[in-house]
Amino acid sequence: MSSAGKVIKCKAAVLWGLEQPFSIEEIEVAPPKAHEVRIKILATGICRTDNNATTGVMPAKFPVIVGHEAVGIVESIGEGVTSLKPGDKVIPLCVPQCGICSNCLKPDSNYCDMLDIVGKGVLSDGTSRFTCKGKPVYHYMNTSTFTEYTVVRDVAVAKIDAAAPPEKACLFGCAFTTGYGAAINTAKVTPGSTCAVFGLGGVGLSVIIGCKIAGASRIIGVDINPRKFEKAKAVGATECVNPKDHTKPISEVLKEMTGDSVRYTFEVTGNLDTMIDALASCHKNCGMSVVVGDPPASSVLTFDPMLVFDGRTWKGCIFGGWKPVNDLPKLVSDFMAKKFNLDELVTHILPFDKIEEGFNLLKKGESIRTVLTFQH
């Protein structure tokens, strides 16, 4: 029997409060309202941004279902949805594309007004579609993918190739798209240049892939976890450096290694000190540093203004600069055409109920990307 128009009961990983473990609960997922879509999740990646919600680094309203990097199938649609239909394979978007706000109308902006990085936790009508034990459970970053079913706005969905494998394609919901776009769109890495990537997780490795495809001749991976170096080199890093192996500041180390020729640096950890290190590591006059990692909420950064007065460019990056509804289908098609290989990014595939194990792998630095799969 069709489930359209009916409440669906399913399993979800609920966070009841800060610093609490995920609790696998039976929840109720309401039908989609006007301009909303209900999605059956097939696979979802574990990103550090989700872990940041558990610690308060990223704002969230509790109880909450986090998760923002996934692939699923449209189960049903609400009134007024014309761009999607039941059965479509899709990626829920943490960065929507409404197409009508002032930001969406700018050709070089993807910061849609419907983006929720402040933890509102509700959809357009100010309410949630999730309940558990008679209480509302809040949404996270427009997506909430640590659940068998979720409801999102229709402008926060990208339809993709039906043949795309969910365990790899889910990375286009955050990690790969963000990192690859940081190199290609935000920095616009030039052929023959030297790049340094600070942080060698899933997003950092995706930055490396982007730098390599852009034609960078030297790509230096920087991380305090040497276990990540092998993977970094496998996707294109020419060498890797552990700042703990040196007594000098990493900016001085990179300057000596390259003859002061690092043109582009990328900070992919969200650590405030590392942001300054990455800025100081690019060429003082013509260098560019891109902040890719999520900074802690309500934090303040203090730095020497001479770092930018000398001529450096310091840029931020949201979702790799892509217009997600328009661009994600093309990126997935490029992946299907083998323009890039994501095998090195997915180190673990676990069933959904092993979510705590997946987060432990992340916290211990033993994974690049863990993908959770659902048995519907």
Side-chain angles (χ1 to χ4, degrees), residues 126-147:
T127 65
S128 168
R129 301 295 168 266
F130 304 124
T131 56
C132 181
K133 300 177 182 178
K135 299 178 180 179
V137 177
Y138 293 100
H139 297 252
Y140 180 69
M141 294 184 69
N142 300 301
T143 47
S144 293
T145 61
F146 292 162
T147 171

Side-chain angles (χ1 to χ4, degrees), residues 29 41 47 52-53 112 130 163 176 209 216 224 269 283 285 292 298 330 343 346 351:
V29 183
I41 301 297
C47 176
N52 288 344
C112 178
F130 304 124
F176 180 75
I209 293 172
I224 59 174
T269 71
H283 189 274
N285 180 247
V292 188
S298 303
K330 300 172 188 174
D343 288 351
V346 179

Side-chain angles (χ1 to χ4, degrees), residues 199-278:
L200 302 178
V203 181
L205 265 58
S206 300
V207 173
I208 291 173
I209 293 172
C211 292
K212 182 179 179 181
I213 287 178
S217 60
R218 195 171 181 184
I219 306 169
I220 304 169
V222 182
D223 204 297
I224 59 174
N225 182 355
R227 289 178 293 182
K228 295 186 176 182
F229 292 173
E230 182 180 353
K231 291 284 187 182
K233 291 178 180 178
V235 299
T238 53
E239 58 221 284
C240 294
V241 180
N242 184 346
K244 289 187 173 181
D245 292 340
H246 302 272
T247 55
K248 295 181 180 179
I250 187 62
S251 58
E252 293 297 320
V253 173
L254 292 173
K255 184 175 181 179
E256 291 178 3
M257 283 176 61
T258 65
D260 196 18
S261 65
V262 178
R263 184 67 181 266
Y264 306 97
T265 62
F266 301 85
E267 198 291 324
V268 202
T269 71
N271 180 281
L272 298 183
D273 291 336
T274 310
M275 291 177 189
I276 301 299
D277 288 339

Side-chain angles (χ1 to χ4, degrees), residues 83-94:
S83 57
L84 300 158
K85 64 183 185 302
D88 286 344
K89 183 173 278 188
V90 295
I91 294 176
L93 301 172
C94 55

Side-chain angles (χ1 to χ4, degrees), residues 101-110 323:
C101 72
S102 61
N103 287 316
C104 282
L105 292 174
K106 292 180 175 69
D108 54 352
S109 171
N110 69 340
K323 298 271 193 182

